[in-house]
Amino acid sequence: MTELVFRDDAYARSCAARVVAADEKGIRLDRTVFYPTGGGQPGDTGTLRVASGETIAIVDTIKGEDPDDVVHVPTPGAPLPPPGTEVTAEIDWERRYRLMRMHTCLHLLCAAVPGAVTGGQVSDGRGRLDFDVPGSSLDKAAIAAQLNALIAAGHEVTPRWITDDQLEARPELVRTMSVKPPVGAGRVRLMEIAGLDMPIDLQPCGGTHIRNTAEIGRIKINKIESKGRQNRRVIVAFDE
Ligand SMILES: [Zn+2]
């Protein structure tokens, strides 16, 4: 099991760690700042630096078999560090910060568009959500204006933990049908975007988030595509 530094502090860019195992799949550390692919957010890239100054480039991060198992995928053919090696694990922060901003923006999009979310994906500089809504009821300009207003208002984004049982009693919290919340560990992390009287968005999420919506910056809606009779894909990008 890996200590997930990014879960408590999404702004941590590096950490000291020790190699626990290394095989053809990748490198496991006792603790890490690298977020593994999941919940529509891509895994981190970056480097592991050993004491001699040599670096191992990490091209992807994925989940292992266990819930908190993180596998750092090195460049193919790179020599693997033996277990016990002390390293400094450092993510490509510029890329991660863009992913955090876009990921958090998709939470706002969730709040701006009524209807169940059937899928989603964050990529570098853009993101998309699929909504189960009929016809052409979604207005590109109106959604962009609403999102930019929510972003500019500077709402706080904070984690809150509840038990698996509490989540089971409130199924309405699960907005995304395609992404099951990570239950089974006894507790689940909710991300709340604070509003005036009630949260703007509140749902289980294991991804990485910024602290305040103002950090997202201006966005635009690139397009709204029809993916079947009931399915509308909304594609968001940074407007910069
Ligand atoms: Zn999230």
Side-chain angles (χ1 to χ4, degrees):
M1 201 157 109
T2 317
E3 182 192 337
L4 309 179
V5 176
F6 59 83
R7 193 159 63 183
D8 294 321
D9 182 7
Y11 288 77
R13 302 177 187 201
S14 69
C15 71
R18 187 178 298 114
V19 175
V20 172
D23 56 27
E24 71 283 353
K25 282 186 195 151
I27 302 161
R28 288 170 166 82
L29 305 174
D30 62 343
R31 57 204 301 268
T32 191
V33 288
F34 282 72
Y35 178 80
T37 305
Q41 183 179 330
D44 281 321
T45 57
T47 55
L48 304 182
R49 198 169 59 247
V50 297
S52 64
E54 279 175 63
T55 58
I56 302 158
I58 301 300
V59 294
D60 196 10
T61 310
I62 56 174
K63 284 180 182 159
E65 291 84 48
D66 300 319
D68 286 352
D69 197 13
V70 177
V71 181
H72 306 76
V73 182
T75 316
L80 298 174
T85 306
E86 306 274 352
V87 299
T88 302
E90 184 171 3
I91 55 170
D92 176 350
W93 170 251
E94 306 285 319
R95 173 177 178 271
R96 154 71 93 69
Y97 189 55
R98 287 193 298 271
L99 292 172
M100 279 163 59
R101 287 163 58 214
M102 184 50 73
H103 176 110
T104 309
C105 180
L106 292 188
H107 279 265
L108 291 179
L109 181 59
C110 235
V113 177
V117 177
T118 56
Q121 181 70 50
V122 179
S123 52
D124 196 353
R126 48 191 261 161
R128 62 171 170 83
L129 284 181
D130 294 345
F131 293 93
D132 183 9
V133 289
S136 53
S137 55
L138 300 182
D139 180 337
K140 215 169 103 170
I143 294 171
Q146 198 181 344
L147 277 185
N148 279 320
L150 287 168
I151 290 166
H155 297 284
E156 287 194 1
V157 185
T158 45
R160 196 202 288 182
W161 290 87
I162 62 169
T163 65
D164 286 0
D165 292 342
Q166 285 169 327
L167 180 65
E168 207 178 328
R170 296 187 62 188
E172 77 278 6
L173 287 178
V174 181
R175 284 292 311 275
T176 312
M177 292 193 282
S178 65
V179 181
K180 284 209 192 89
V183 293
R187 60 178 202 156
V188 178
R189 189 183 68 172
L190 302 180
M191 286 310 299
E192 174 173 2
I193 302 181
L196 280 181
D197 303 319
M198 55 184 289
I200 290 164
D201 187 54
L202 176 67
Q203 60 178 305
C205 188
T208 59
H209 308 84
I210 45 160
R211 296 187 187 111
N212 189 292
T213 60
E215 291 179 51
I216 297 169
R218 274 192 72 80
I219 59 86
K220 58 188 175 186
I221 303 292
N222 272 2
K223 57 177 162 180
I224 299 178
E225 291 174 343
S226 274
K227 293 277 167 188
R229 201 161 58 86
Q230 287 276 72
N231 210 5
R232 295 292 171 274
R233 173 166 294 176
V234 182
I235 301 170
V236 191
F238 293 128
D239 188 9
E240 52 192 20

